[in-house]
Amino acid sequence: MRDLVIIGSGPAGLSAAVYASNACMDFIVIEKYPMSGGQILNTEEVNNYLGFESAEGFTLGQTFRNHAEKSGATFVNDEVVSISKNKTHFEVKCENETYLSKAVILATGVIRKHLNVKGESDFAGKGVSYCATCDGNFFRNKIVAVVGGGDVACEDALYLANVCEKVYLIHRRDKLRAAKYLQNRVFDNNKIEFVPNANVTEINGGNAVESVSLDNGSVLSVNGIFIAIGVEPEVEFLNGLADTDSQGFIVANEDCKTSVDGLLVAGDIRTKPLRQISTAVSDGANAVKSAEDYFNRIEM
């Protein structure tokens, strides 16, 4: 039985791995995706992480992973199916194997929300995308739309403006909610047209996306649509084990302690006012400290 299982290898999970290594814990990191890094893999540029004036998201994610590996972390590529706890340990059941540990740190992050409108699922991979940096080059010199009003939507619009002929930024409100510096960059870019007070009601096309219908009655001719309307936590495998808020995020304070003793949570899936790389990395460190406190208490 291990001391600790860390689930997820975004900034929070990788930070936890470094701190667990420094604490000489016996632990593994379980990651279901082929690469570590989480959401920052889909970020073109990171310019608000201390020490990096400007860094490509993908490169920064790999830098974090390399640091964790050099610290001694062991990674397992598998998907968690369920977690349960008895009096002495946790059982983390994966598709390929089951792991036992004294404590668990959840750092699975979030996934993009869907619009759930007609045509969205039909054109998935045929003009509907949730990752501008992944798919933007497929729309070089074409016209696209981005849906959303937050940081990610603005970042996507700015990235796409570098490769596309025109970018519509569709938002349901009259004002964007992204950071001011991102808003300024969007409004200063003559390739981006802001479409306020509008919701996409249908995505249209034949073999691929050709247009989007809006609830204001207009139809925009586009070759692709990038959906950036928010995120939801990846916590399906918990099956109600820990308390969550109304949106499904796991309830925990800065100490990262959940309602289940020995179950810690770090990163974007934790209830918090700000979801950034810096707060995720901080969570990873705090979660390991709380795990150490838990070990000391149960071993007394």
Side-chain angles (χ1 to χ4, degrees), residues 140-162:
R140 186 169 292 276
N141 299 321
K142 296 183 178 181
I143 300 173
V144 299
V146 174
V147 184
D151 287 359
V152 173
C154 288
E155 288 170 353
D156 285 357
L158 289 164
Y159 173 79
L160 291 165
N162 290 326

Side-chain angles (χ1 to χ4, degrees), residues 6 30 60 63 73 75 125 128 162 166 204 207 246 290 293 295-296 299:
I6 300 169
I30 301 174
L60 189 59
T63 300
F75 290 83
V128 172
N162 290 326
K166 183 182 180 67
N204 317 297
N207 295 324
S246 59
S290 291
D293 294 343
F295 296 154
N296 292 333
E299 291 169 2

Side-chain angles (χ1 to χ4, degrees), residues 170-185:
I170 304 167
H171 186 41
R172 60 180 179 172
R173 305 189 192 282
D174 61 344
K175 295 180 181 179
L176 297 171
R177 53 184 173 81
K180 288 296 183 183
Y181 81 95
L182 285 172
Q183 293 190 41
N184 292 339
R185 289 179 61 194

Side-chain angles (χ1 to χ4, degrees), residues 213-231:
S213 300
L214 306 182
D215 60 359
N216 61 13
S218 62
V219 177
L220 302 177
S221 294
V222 296
N223 303 110
I225 176 171
F226 293 81
I227 299 167
I229 57 172
V231 295

Side-chain angles (χ1 to χ4, degrees), residues 6-234:
I6 300 169
I7 304 172
S9 64
L14 294 172
S15 172
V18 170
Y19 277 83
S21 292
N22 291 343
C24 299
M25 293 183 183
D26 177 13
F27 73 98
I28 59 170
V29 181
I30 301 174
E31 173 59 64
K32 73 174 182 177
Y33 295 112
M35 304 190 73
S36 296
Q39 292 291 311
I40 58 172
L41 293 178
N42 302 327
T43 303
E44 179 193 11
E45 180 185 14
V46 176
N47 60 9
N48 60 357
Y49 189 63
L50 191 63
F52 293 84
E53 292 182 15
S54 178
E56 184 186 27
F58 182 87
T59 301
L60 189 59
Q62 293 310 295
T63 300
F64 289 172
R65 168 72 182 243
N66 291 339
H67 187 173
E69 287 180 337
K70 289 179 180 178
S71 296
T74 298
F75 290 83
V76 174
N77 187 214
D78 208 344
E79 183 169 358
V80 176
V81 176
S82 65
I83 300 176
S84 58
K85 184 189 180 186
N86 61 27
K87 291 182 179 180
T88 60
H89 63 270
F90 287 88
E91 182 177 286
V92 181
K93 183 178 290 186
C94 298
E95 288 187 345
N96 299 316
E97 195 169 341
T98 297
Y99 301 93
L100 305 181
S101 66
K102 297 176 185 176
V104 171
I105 294 177
L106 302 172
T108 49
V110 294
I111 55 176
R112 295 275 187 101
K113 288 183 178 179
H114 290 206
L115 285 173
N116 296 317
V117 299
K118 186 176 180 181
E120 181 177 7
S121 59
D122 296 334
F123 292 108
K126 301 176 183 178
V128 172
S129 175
Y130 303 88
C131 177
T133 54
C134 304
D135 300 329
N137 277 328
F138 294 117
F139 301 90
R140 186 169 292 276
N141 299 321
K142 296 183 178 181
I143 300 173
V144 299
V146 174
V147 184
D151 287 359
V152 173
C154 288
E155 288 170 353
D156 285 357
L158 289 164
Y159 173 79
L160 291 165
N162 290 326
V163 297
C164 298
E165 177 186 333
K166 183 182 180 67
V167 180
Y168 292 105
L169 179 56
I170 304 167
H171 186 41
R172 60 180 179 172
R173 305 189 192 282
D174 61 344
K175 295 180 181 179
L176 297 171
R177 53 184 173 81
K180 288 296 183 183
Y181 81 95
L182 285 172
Q183 293 190 41
N184 292 339
R185 289 179 61 194
V186 164
F187 292 131
D188 288 343
N189 194 309
N190 59 16
K191 294 177 73 175
I192 301 174
E193 180 179 334
F194 182 42
V195 184
N197 299 312
N199 292 284
V200 174
T201 56
E202 187 172 353
I203 301 170
N204 317 297
N207 295 324
V209 171
E210 297 174 0
S211 67
V212 293
S213 300
L214 306 182
D215 60 359
N216 61 13
S218 62
V219 177
L220 302 177
S221 294
V222 296
N223 303 110
I225 176 171
F226 293 81
I227 299 167
I229 57 172
V231 295
E232 54 190 6
E234 289 205 74

